[in-house]
Amino acid sequence: MATIDAARDILRKHARATAVLQSWTMLTDYLALNAVRERVEVFRVLLLDRKNKLIRDRIMSRGSIAHVPVYVSEVMRSALVLDASALILCHNHPSGDPQPSQADIDMTRKIVDACRVMDITVHDHLIVGFGREQAAFSMRAAGMLGD
């Protein structure tokens, strides 16, 4: 696990120094490394500045094996306190299947709607799953962000 911790630290430092969105591979590797040890669902938000540089990677909530509670007000509070211009939402599915549930889709819509009012961009909601190989589902790529 020391190797995973070292890789995570390197990616975190690189993410803070460069635009997180510069590479899909960098983003998914970073998120996968952060979720690899998790046995329960964890919802995190990457808070970004105007140049899409990482301000903070904040774990918002930890849940159970099949659910994580997410509070729109807490996501918005973090974004406003840190003057974030954009967000990347992420959570893991310990089952290995990164397909979103209806609850995932509904929660994402609520956050996107709240962010739209505050002029904060939601770049994506990624669901990271693990099976034989790491996989990530992009709600943006699937047309689920409603923009």
Side-chain angles (χ1 to χ4, degrees):
M1 288 299 164
T3 303
I4 290 172
D5 291 338
R8 183 183 7 224
D9 289 342
I10 290 167
L11 279 171
R12 185 176 295 121
K13 287 175 187 172
H14 186 65
R16 285 198 174 113
T18 63
V20 174
L21 299 177
Q22 149 183 338
S23 161
W24 171 258
T25 302
M26 180 185 157
L27 178 60
T28 56
D29 285 351
Y30 175 78
L31 294 172
L33 277 170
N34 279 292
V36 73
R37 287 190 192 173
E38 300 296 343
R39 302 252 187 254
V40 297
E41 287 194 21
V42 176
F43 182 79
R44 64 189 328 117
V45 177
L46 303 182
L47 298 122
L48 310 173
D49 68 12
R50 293 213 179 274
K51 294 183 179 184
N52 290 322
K53 289 186 179 175
L54 184 64
I55 299 170
R56 177 115 3 113
D57 173 356
R58 179 162 283 168
I59 292 175
M60 301 301 296
S61 185
R62 291 181 185 276
S64 68
I65 191 76
H67 173 74
V68 62
V70 177
Y71 303 99
V72 177
S73 60
E74 292 299 314
V75 173
M76 297 308 300
R77 180 177 296 120
S78 290
L80 294 171
V81 165
L82 294 171
D83 292 324
S85 297
L87 309 176
I88 298 173
L89 312 173
C90 177
H91 76 282
N92 64 311
H93 279 178
S95 69
D97 180 4
Q99 292 297 313
S101 66
Q102 189 60 50
D104 294 338
I105 295 166
D106 294 343
M107 174 268 302
T108 302
R109 285 188 185 137
K110 289 177 184 175
I111 293 173
V112 168
D113 290 346
C115 285
R116 190 173 291 123
V117 169
M118 301 305 295
D119 199 28
I120 298 169
T121 302
V122 177
H123 285 305
D124 209 338
H125 182 170
L126 297 165
I127 301 172
V128 178
F130 299 98
R132 284 193 247 194
E133 54 189 63
Q134 174 260 327
F137 181 93
S138 165
M139 286 193 175
R140 172 159 307 282
M144 297 177 158
L145 291 188
D147 49 17

